[in-house]
Amino acid sequence: MAGPRVVIIGAGVVGAALADEISARGWTEVTVVDQGPLPATGGSSSHAPGLVFQTNASKTMTELARYTVEKFRSLDVDGKPCFLQVGGLEVATSPERLAELRRRHGWITSWGVEGRLLTPDECVEQHPLLDRDRILGGLLIPTDGLAKAVLAVEAQIRRATERGVRFLARHEVLDIKQSEGRVTGVVTDHGELDADIVVCCAGIWGPRIARMVGMNLPLTPLAHQLAWTGPVPALAGQTEEAIRPILRHQDADLYYRDRYDGLGIGYYGHRPMPVSADDILSVDEAEEMPSVLKFTEEDFEPAWAETQSLLPATQEAKVEEGINGLFSFTTDGYPLLGESPQVKGFWVAEAVWVTHSAGVGRAVAEWLVDGYCSSFDLHECDVNRFEPHQLSPEYVLARDCRNFEEVYDILHPLQPSGDPRPIRTSPFYARQQDHGAFFLEANGWERPQWYDANAPLVEGRKIPTPNDWAARYWSPIVGAEAQATRETVALYDMTALKRLEVTGPGAAAFLERLCTGKIDKSVGSVTYTLLLDHDGGIRSDVTVARLARDRFQVGANGNLDLDWFTRHLPAAGTVQVRDITAGTCCIGLWGPLARTVLQPLTDEDFSNEGLKYFRAKHAYIGSVPVTAMRLSYVGELGWELYTTADQGLKLWDTLWAAAEPLGGVIAGRGAFNSLRLEKGYRSFGTDMTYEHDPYEAGVGFAVKPDKGDFIGKAALELRKADVRRRLTCLTIDDPQAVVLGKEPVYAGERPVGYVTSAAYGYTIGNGIAYAWLPAELATPGTTVHIGYFDQRIEAVVAEEPLFDPTMSRLRG
């Protein structure tokens, strides 16, 4: 047998791609089942309009799309191509959209895909049906195009079949067999199929299949309108299916594609039309196909009116047919990939559109065969990324519908995510409201960005106003809070950061195996360390505090860390991992006067000798029991103070009563981000991800190669000798030129990297941007330029950290 027994549920573009990719890697004991006929199974793939636009704010999503383009271009069915590379054109009809296209051009440049901005005349040259007077500019991606989804399915089925993969049409899945927490097979209406691994690629039916193993998928099928015109006289005589670029008019939630002498029109501007996966008709019951619902002409009326304005030639044509086609939407817009946390061997590859399908097929095949994905950073796509509240039916429906409404909206990086809110509030929430907190959401938590009560602090300070885009969700109070932290002392609500408790007689050995740093140290030690994947890529950075011989507290980045720990628990039951976030809270007390505030409130010794840097101990602050850890991500003297949620408000009030008379402040995330960049502290998921190793990311100090074996150690030793890129600190002199992240970086006219985190440094008086650059450019003093909308902003590579390089303020 070549590989384990695999059953793939669903033979659409994702299931077919996975079967092709996994069989190419040598796993050929694979069976693909689908309730519909092949290759047009009746799911979303069978009616998808096929537009492949690679531009995305996510590097991963762009790379998945790029691979899909490359693969589909190489496929054909009896000489019929699976991809028509006509290019993709996005047009702007408003100044705001024109600016957005410049930002999108920055993304695509950052991710290494060719694109160019067009004048209005150049847009009309590309697509002559456009009304020149309506167009302000455009963005052209020459490698975009039309995927022939059903042909691509057939081509990949043929390839996989040649390697021995079985495809079983008209097999409805009735149940998933399990034994002792792992899958053993799939029950269909034609009998049972034994399986070691089951992968759900069922698309809009995904939630129904996943429930068979008790898994809750945050996915909603929503109807999306697609109409086809009859002949357009201006296109008369066109014998090729498509010769003009696929076209997006995002100001009106519209897209267009050629179909010989007519046009296809897709519309996202109508009301959300969610459908339960349980209510989707079967293949035999559906009039056309299960994923196609009746066209609601009244919803399409605004789209047709706008189409006749933007493309005047369509005034001589009619809409002859249309559908409300079902597609999968998720709460954050990303796919759902990975293994169930409860049932081993049950995997999902869901909420994947044609655009990313072949890339996802490759990614999941690598993940299954190798145990990790080396081609793509999948942290945004891992199905286990969600917090429990993000799986509630109310939340899923509300956020999925909102994502439908915002598909083509101009979204600021800090834009609040909308209802339902608030969901999670710290014990300090009422006090924060009293101080006029401006809240943004973090993992469901309401987290202050700044406090209006600190407005008087702004007076007399030099706090430059950034450009208009960077000034959204910003206030000069952010700068005042940052400066006040360095001058006196500040309270920061750190409750939103996930906290895990690891206990048991095997806890120390367990953490030693997962972490790059030395964990088996004295009680009271705190260690900054990394979690690596087997290829040496960074899965997370965490702090591990040893609070007792067999009890550790881990400061984690999110639910994926909990999932990683849980999957590696020893079978003997000697270790337990528990998420303690909801029952606890944390205040960061930081600043030069932090000790002056804290010491009178406790009998414990909080001097430099009494609690050294990166040490922890238990204490009473007033009447509140706390775990105090001497560490700081703003680069100032101070502590993270943890207590139970029921006593959090008392702790806040106790500290604030002592800090306020000394000129202390309460401060928000905006100040925190500025201060942490001045110190060069990395943020996982933004500055470094699965695709980066510690030496590239500048956190090699967290790796202790002389300790025992740990996951990723062998691979890391190979990567250390070949560092070709580095996370690099840049400074910007222009105080208005604050960038926000994901912008391209140029050496001359050549794009060489991209920005990760950025902020204004209110202490150092410069803009700060961290960026991935080729190693040869990461030399202090090197000048580069950042592409920001239509500007090129000069930036200089700087030594880091920019603030307190001797660490005297932290260790004092």
Side-chain angles (χ1 to χ4, degrees):
M1 181 177 70
R5 297 167 298 180
V6 179
V7 174
I8 298 171
I9 301 172
V13 284
V14 182
L18 176 57
D20 180 35
E21 296 282 345
I22 202 170
S23 61
R25 284 164 175 77
W27 283 16
T28 54
E29 194 74 11
V30 178
T31 302
V32 184
V33 297
D34 200 293
Q35 63 183 338
L38 299 176
T41 61
S44 301
S45 305
S46 301
H47 73 257
L51 284 76
V52 176
F53 282 93
Q54 298 165 85
T55 308
N56 197 290
S58 163
K59 183 173 183 281
T60 296
M61 296 298 279
T62 292
E63 290 175 342
L64 292 170
R66 179 165 52 192
Y67 181 79
T68 302
V69 168
E70 292 169 355
K71 183 175 183 181
F72 282 10
R73 280 191 66 206
S74 71
L75 300 177
D76 71 88
V77 175
D78 301 329
K80 293 179 286 187
C82 294
F83 192 76
L84 307 176
Q85 198 161 55
V86 293
L89 175 63
E90 303 179 44
V91 294
T93 58
S94 67
E96 295 79 14
R97 182 66 60 179
L98 184 62
E100 172 72 357
L101 292 188
R102 290 169 178 150
R103 186 167 71 117
R104 294 171 67 79
H105 181 244
W107 296 342
I108 209 73
T109 303
S110 292
W111 315 146
V113 176
E114 178 193 355
R116 57 191 177 94
L117 295 164
L118 303 184
T119 65
D121 289 337
E122 289 173 326
C123 291
V124 176
E125 288 175 14
Q126 292 289 328
H127 205 295
L129 297 189
L130 288 165
D131 180 354
R132 165 64 178 78
D133 293 338
R134 296 275 324 266
I135 306 302
L136 300 181
L139 172 61
L140 178 70
I141 310 299
T143 52
D144 286 347
L146 287 168
K148 307 292 292 181
V150 174
L151 281 180
V153 168
E154 184 172 358
Q156 292 174 103
I157 287 177
R158 289 186 181 186
R159 285 160 48 123
T161 301
E162 290 174 356
R163 303 186 191 105
V165 175
R166 286 195 304 164
F167 285 82
L168 301 178
R170 295 285 186 175
H171 280 57
E172 182 181 358
V173 173
L174 304 177
D175 198 10
I176 309 294
K177 294 174 63 179
Q178 308 169 53
S179 177
E180 297 181 352
R182 83 161 24 254
V183 297
T184 59
V186 174
V187 181
T188 78
D189 58 353
H190 286 67
E192 297 183 6
L193 300 166
D194 292 335
D196 304 302
I197 294 172
V198 175
V199 187
C200 179
C201 304
I204 54 178
W205 291 279
R208 193 164 78 191
I209 299 296
R211 275 204 309 274
M212 294 177 183
V213 297
M215 189 176 183
N216 186 3
L217 281 187
L219 179 160
T220 304
L222 281 113
H224 157 58
Q225 291 199 301
L226 175 65
W228 300 97
T229 72
V232 178
L235 305 181
Q238 181 173 322
T239 57
E240 295 182 58
E241 180 179 353
I243 59 174
R244 279 166 290 277
I246 51 177
L247 177 66
R248 281 206 279 194
H249 174 31
Q250 293 170 296
D251 280 327
D253 299 301
L254 284 161
Y255 64 76
Y256 305 92
R257 55 150 296 178
D258 284 9
R259 188 173 71 168
Y260 300 102
D261 62 352
L263 291 176
I265 306 169
Y267 185 44
Y268 286 105
H270 55 80
R271 61 194 167 91
M273 305 179 197
V275 176
S276 169
D278 295 321
D279 294 334
I280 301 172
L281 297 177
S282 69
V283 172
D284 293 328
E285 291 173 322
E287 183 176 333
E288 183 174 350
M289 63 179 74
S291 60
V292 169
L293 307 181
K294 183 179 178 182
F295 188 58
T296 50
E297 295 182 7
E298 65 277 10
D299 289 305
F300 194 72
E301 288 175 0
W304 183 233
E306 179 61 21
T307 296
Q308 291 176 305
S309 172
L310 183 75
L311 309 173
T314 59
Q315 295 171 14
E316 301 179 63
K318 294 182 179 179
V319 173
E320 292 196 347
E321 55 182 310
I323 63 170
N324 286 4
L326 293 178
F327 288 93
S328 299
F329 281 78
T330 62
T331 55
D332 57 8
Y334 292 109
L336 308 174
L337 311 179
E339 188 180 23
S340 161
Q342 292 89 23
V343 180
K344 292 185 182 301
F346 184 82
W347 289 65
V348 299
E350 289 289 348
V352 181
W353 293 5
V354 174
T355 299
H356 309 103
S357 58
V360 165
R362 177 176 178 177
V364 175
E366 288 182 358
W367 199 348
L368 285 166
V369 174
D370 301 333
Y372 58 90
C373 178
S374 59
S375 296
F376 307 98
D377 162 34
L378 296 181
H379 84 276
E380 294 171 315
C381 307
D382 193 314
V383 70
N384 297 296
R385 64 190 181 268
F386 300 103
E387 297 291 325
H389 75 273
Q390 294 173 319
L391 300 175
S392 71
E394 177 187 3
Y395 181 95
V396 170
L397 180 61
R399 289 292 171 90
D400 288 359
C401 288
R402 184 180 176 93
N403 276 332
F404 175 89
E405 293 173 328
E406 293 180 345
V407 162
Y408 283 170
D409 285 3
I410 299 171
L411 300 177
H412 192 275
L414 295 178
Q415 186 160 323
S417 48
D419 290 335
R421 281 182 69 190
I423 298 175
R424 308 173 83 182
T425 57
S426 78
F428 327 128
Y429 185 59
R431 298 292 186 267
Q432 292 165 344
Q433 288 179 305
D434 291 344
H435 283 81
F438 178 82
F439 292 101
L440 295 178
E441 184 185 345
N443 296 324
W445 294 96
E446 294 297 315
R447 184 168 67 185
Q449 193 74 358
W450 69 81
Y451 295 87
D452 285 341
N454 289 329
L457 289 174
V458 176
E459 187 175 352
R461 296 180 182 272
K462 187 177 181 181
I463 300 171
T465 300
N467 57 81
D468 290 347
W469 183 250
R472 296 188 188 187
Y473 310 107
W474 175 88
S475 166
I477 297 171
V478 167
E481 290 176 358
Q483 292 177 358
T485 302
R486 298 254 189 254
E487 295 163 357
T488 56
V489 64
L491 276 66
Y492 286 84
D493 181 0
M494 304 300 291
T495 303
L497 298 180
K498 184 173 280 290
R499 293 170 290 285
L500 308 177
E501 184 180 70
V502 181
T503 57
F510 169 74
L511 289 168
E512 284 286 341
R513 171 69 178 149
L514 266 63
C515 297
T516 62
K518 184 68 175 173
I519 305 300
D520 193 2
K521 300 187 291 190
S522 62
V523 172
S525 63
V526 182
T527 305
Y528 173 80
T529 185
L530 307 173
L531 307 178
L532 303 183
D533 213 328
H534 294 276
D535 65 346
I538 301 170
R539 285 197 64 95
S540 190
D541 65 335
V542 299
T543 54
V544 180
R546 191 170 201 171
L547 302 182
R549 176 179 173 78
D550 294 335
R551 181 165 65 91
F552 297 80
Q553 182 171 310
V554 178
N557 281 300
N559 213 56
L560 289 180
D561 293 343
L562 174 61
D563 181 69
W564 185 252
F565 281 0
T566 303
R567 290 185 187 279
H568 289 87
L569 286 173
T574 56
V575 182
Q576 296 79 44
V577 176
R578 186 167 65 99
D579 184 350
I580 61 171
T581 310
T584 57
C585 58
C586 178
I587 296 173
L589 179 71
W590 295 313
L593 299 183
R595 187 174 285 122
T596 307
V597 169
L598 192 65
Q599 189 60 76
L601 302 175
T602 180
D603 293 333
E604 291 289 332
D605 182 5
F606 275 84
S607 69
N608 198 39
E609 296 73 26
L611 186 60
K612 294 182 178 180
Y613 187 55
F614 264 78
R615 296 288 296 179
K617 69 177 175 182
H618 299 293
Y620 284 93
I621 305 301
S623 60
V624 180
V626 303
T627 298
M629 299 186 196
R630 189 174 169 193
L631 57 157
S632 163
Y633 279 86
V634 301
E636 293 292 337
L637 169 68
W639 303 268
E640 291 180 358
L641 302 171
Y642 298 89
T643 191
T644 52
D646 61 326
Q647 297 186 77
L649 187 59
K650 180 63 174 176
L651 177 62
W652 179 278
D653 288 343
T654 300
L655 292 171
W656 181 237
E660 186 180 23
L662 299 175
V665 300
I666 52 176
R669 188 68 179 185
F672 177 93
N673 197 49
S674 170
L675 296 171
R676 69 114 181 151
L677 286 177
E678 289 184 331
K679 282 298 293 179
Y681 293 142
R682 277 65 167 144
S683 173
F684 177 80
T686 303
D687 298 315
M688 54 190 186
T689 66
Y690 294 2
E691 68 174 300
H692 305 116
D693 70 48
Y695 304 110
E696 297 172 326
V699 288
F701 63 87
V703 178
K704 306 303 179 188
D706 55 345
K707 64 171 275 188
D709 194 23
F710 54 85
I711 293 175
K713 182 177 182 180
L716 195 59
E717 289 173 352
L718 297 175
R719 294 178 70 153
K720 183 178 181 179
D722 189 27
V723 176
R724 301 183 183 183
R725 59 183 174 178
R726 293 190 183 279
L727 184 61
T728 307
C729 179
L730 306 175
T731 57
I732 302 166
D733 284 341
D734 184 349
Q736 282 203 313
V738 175
V739 300
L740 295 180
K742 303 186 179 181
E743 297 89 359
V745 180
Y746 296 86
E749 293 301 312
R750 179 171 59 100
V752 292
Y754 59 92
V755 173
T756 58
S757 295
Y760 190 79
Y762 297 100
T763 311
I764 66 168
N766 278 106
I768 307 168
Y770 272 77
W772 281 101
L773 295 180
E776 63 271 17
L777 293 177
T779 303
T782 302
T783 298
V784 294
H785 288 83
I786 299 171
Y788 187 68
F789 294 93
D790 58 347
Q791 304 173 47
R792 292 288 179 90
I793 296 171
E794 184 175 288
V796 178
V797 176
E799 293 274 8
E800 57 173 330
L802 299 169
F803 177 79
D804 189 28
T806 64
M807 305 283 279
S808 59
R809 295 173 73 102
L810 274 171
R811 297 178 181 274

